[in-house]
Amino acid sequence: MLTVENVNLHYGAAQALRGVSLKAEMGKITCVLGRNGVGKSSLLRAVTGQHAISGGSIDFNGTTLNGMAPFNRARQGVGYVAQGREIFPLLTVKENLETGYAPVARKDRFIPDEIFSLFPVLGTMLSRRGGDLSGGQQQQLAIGRAMVTRPKILVLDEPTEGIQPSIIKDIGRAIRYLRDSTGMAILLVEQYLDFCRELADYVYIMDRGEIVHQGMAETLDTPAARRHLTV
Ligand SMILES: Nc1ncnc2c1ncn2[C@@H]1O[C@H](COP(=O)(O)OP(=O)(O)OP(=O)(O)O)[C@@H](O)[C@H]1O
Ligand SMILES: [Mg+2]
């Protein structure tokens, strides 16, 4: 289980996270919702080590992640699909997937078949350049690359952003499959309420750097929760 406790994060003098606490359990999909600019990506940067925290603690299955470099967090099993996908445009699909080898043991340096059963399009485009894929295909590639790192927790930042509905369905199915088949923890940041309601086992809502609501997915339909989500 991932445990985030009382975490603060600053960009210079500006505070983006204020005493954020949350848990993401193994075998569960934990969803963090919130409007633009409330600190969702900052939270994931804190978890993955992309940005240092200025207070609190982050712990994964008994190992403290505080101060650990992103590369070592990946070795601990933290897989990250960043907002905007961040695939390598000049590398082929196959090469993009192979960049996921870095944190895994030599014996595991192969591309798991399940990536191609979840996202068949990737198998047909192995020699295509990443930059020539559609946005939806790039998102599938980014998730595939994270799967190559054999994560124990998969952290996804707005995987549905700018993606067409049919591919959103595929991504939802893949996330559910990963939870059910491997028992990994999934920490999903989203603005797309319906996607979260369908997938999440547990939800948090952030507003201005703080957690302002938490509960089972059904609680998203209460007025108290809605207040933090409507513009
Ligand atoms: N590198 C940075 N330097 C300075 N301020 C930043 C930086 N990144 C984010 N911020 C600020 O921190 C706050 C939280 O940003 P963050 O990216 O975490 O929000 P978000 O919830 O992910 O938003 P979105 O839904 O638009 O992706 C915002 O006010 C943002 O302007
Ligand atoms: Mg963001």
Side-chain angles (χ1 to χ4, degrees):
M1 167 158 79
L2 175 80
T3 311
V4 173
E5 222 164 86
N6 221 4
V7 161
N8 297 327
L9 181 148
H10 287 81
Y11 299 107
Q15 187 165 4
L17 297 180
R18 301 167 186 275
V20 169
S21 299
L22 65 77
K23 288 180 164 56
E25 285 181 44
M26 305 306 287
K28 303 271 189 225
I29 298 170
T30 304
C31 195
V32 179
L33 279 156
R35 290 180 283 234
N36 282 122
V38 298
K40 303 182 300 297
S41 294
S42 301
L43 169 64
L44 298 193
R45 283 184 208 119
V47 169
T48 56
Q50 308 292 321
H51 199 280
I53 58 176
S54 34
S57 66
I58 303 176
D59 177 292
F60 183 55
N61 287 341
T63 305
T64 176
L65 301 183
N66 291 17
M68 192 185 281
F71 177 78
N72 287 321
R73 296 189 201 206
R75 284 186 149 171
Q76 292 293 325
V78 180
Y80 182 35
V81 181
Q83 188 167 15
R85 314 182 263 277
E86 297 191 356
I87 59 134
F88 299 101
L90 297 180
L91 298 186
T92 66
V93 166
K94 181 157 181 279
E95 288 163 343
N96 266 281
L97 290 170
E98 287 167 350
T99 62
Y101 289 167
V104 299
R106 205 157 295 259
K107 68 170 175 47
D108 289 326
R109 290 190 180 172
F110 59 91
I111 300 170
D113 285 336
E114 59 187 3
I115 292 175
F116 302 118
S117 32
L118 288 172
F119 304 124
V121 70
L122 296 181
T124 67
M125 293 191 167
L126 281 175
S127 51
R128 186 102 44 113
R129 282 192 182 183
D132 294 336
L133 269 52
S134 74
Q137 291 162 350
Q138 289 184 3
Q139 189 62 258
Q140 296 173 78
L141 176 56
I143 296 170
R145 180 176 60 186
M147 287 171 62
V148 170
T149 69
R150 311 299 197 282
K152 298 190 182 80
I153 178 169
L154 184 60
V155 173
L156 301 120
D157 197 342
E158 298 202 40
T160 68
E161 195 179 24
I163 307 290
Q164 69 186 66
S166 70
I167 295 185
I168 290 180
K169 266 208 188 99
D170 291 342
I171 290 173
R173 192 169 344 107
I175 291 173
R176 209 176 271 126
Y177 168 84
L178 290 172
R179 173 193 62 189
D180 296 340
S181 70
T182 67
M184 72 171 70
I186 302 208
L187 179 60
L188 172 66
V189 155
E190 261 301 334
Q191 287 202 55
Y192 183 13
L193 178 65
D194 292 339
F195 186 72
C196 261
R197 194 198 288 102
E198 246 176 61
L199 281 179
D201 294 296
Y202 200 78
V203 295
Y204 292 87
I205 300 177
M206 286 185 75
D207 202 356
R208 288 177 220 160
E210 292 179 285
I211 302 287
V212 292
H213 172 90
Q214 60 175 296
M216 309 300 284
E218 301 78 59
T219 64
L220 286 174
D221 293 311
T222 59
R226 284 301 173 107
R227 182 163 54 92
H228 298 292
L229 296 172
T230 44
V231 185

